[in-house]
Structures are given as structure tokens and as C-alpha cells.
Amino acid sequence: MSARFDCTSCGAPLVLRAEGVSDSLACEHCGAVLDARDPRHQILARYRAKLGRAPWLPIGARGTLRGEKLEVIGRQTRAVRYSGVIYQWNEYLLWNPYKGFRWLVESNGHWNLLKTVETKVKER
Ligand SMILES: [Zn+2]
């Protein structure tokens, strides 16, 4: 399910995807992070919107991957510095209300599909 409302900070039209499951929603127009569970959608944090490279997959895109119908409901760009070199990748959060979440990770044009492990990992 999804709900439409205007950003509490800048008034831009927003779509809350995975309603009832999402805790927060970031406005791509102004960088505000809004409370998805609060019907007034109060502002939790403000970030200056950074315009980077356009994402491969826009929020709201739908498709079938390995037989599962999935919708892109989130995206983050992550990076790590190792030996003075910055390595960067993009993580897309995919959602199906009957299947749950998947992560589609893109790094330099290479793609990996990940699923969160449900069981605890034993420490040695
Ligand atoms: Zn906004």
C-alpha cells in the first residue's frame, strides 16, 4: 500500500511506499526526513539535498526479478575508504508485500541481489 501527501517541510508531493512497514521517508526535493508512522509526518531530521548521479532505478519503479514482482522503495549511496581509495556503491531497497524486502546492490555496473538473513549468525 502507498499513501500520498505533501512534504511537511517544502510542500512537494510525496508517495509513502510500503505504508505500515516504513518508519521514515526522505524528501528527495529538500532532504527532510519525515516520520512515516505519524499521520502529521513530523520532521525527524533535515539534510541538505545532494544532487548526485541520477539513480539507475528511480523510486517507484516496478519490475520482475527472479520471478518476484518488486518495487523500488528506497535508495542509498554508500562508500568506504580503504588504503586511501574511496569505493562507492548504490543500494536499492526493493519491496513486495508478500515476499518482503530485497537489496539490489550496484557497484561499477555490477549487480548483486541480497536478502536479509532471518536467523542469527553464530559468533566464533
Ligand atoms: Zn521536502
Side-chain angles (χ1 to χ4, degrees):
M1 282 196 289
S2 62
R4 295 178 185 278
F5 63 95
D6 294 335
C7 175
T8 312
S9 177
C10 73
L14 299 176
V15 178
L16 173 60
R17 302 175 194 285
E19 185 181 11
V21 178
S22 298
D23 289 328
S24 61
L25 169 71
C27 175
E28 63 186 296
H29 304 282
C30 71
V33 177
L34 310 176
D35 188 339
R37 296 197 182 269
D38 177 2
R40 294 170 293 160
H41 302 295
Q42 292 190 343
I43 299 169
L44 299 174
R46 291 179 192 270
Y47 297 95
R48 204 177 84 206
K50 294 181 180 178
L51 298 176
R53 179 173 57 82
W56 290 94
L57 304 173
I59 303 294
R62 293 180 177 181
T64 302
L65 192 57
R66 295 187 179 164
E68 294 178 338
K69 292 185 177 182
L70 297 162
E71 179 179 358
V72 179
I73 66 166
R75 178 180 73 94
Q76 62 183 349
T77 299
R78 304 190 73 184
V80 63
R81 181 189 303 264
Y82 181 75
S83 294
V85 178
I86 296 175
Y87 298 93
Q88 186 174 310
W89 65 94
N90 294 298
E91 298 179 350
Y92 297 89
L93 180 59
L94 310 179
W95 164 251
N96 176 306
Y98 303 104
K99 304 284 185 176
F101 296 100
R102 303 287 183 269
W103 288 99
L104 188 58
V105 180
E106 179 271 324
S107 177
N108 291 327
H110 298 277
W111 296 83
N112 291 296
L113 182 63
L114 307 173
K115 181 179 176 183
T116 303
V117 176
E118 300 290 336
T119 57
K120 289 184 179 179
V121 177
K122 287 185 179 178
E123 293 184 32
R124 295 178 184 219

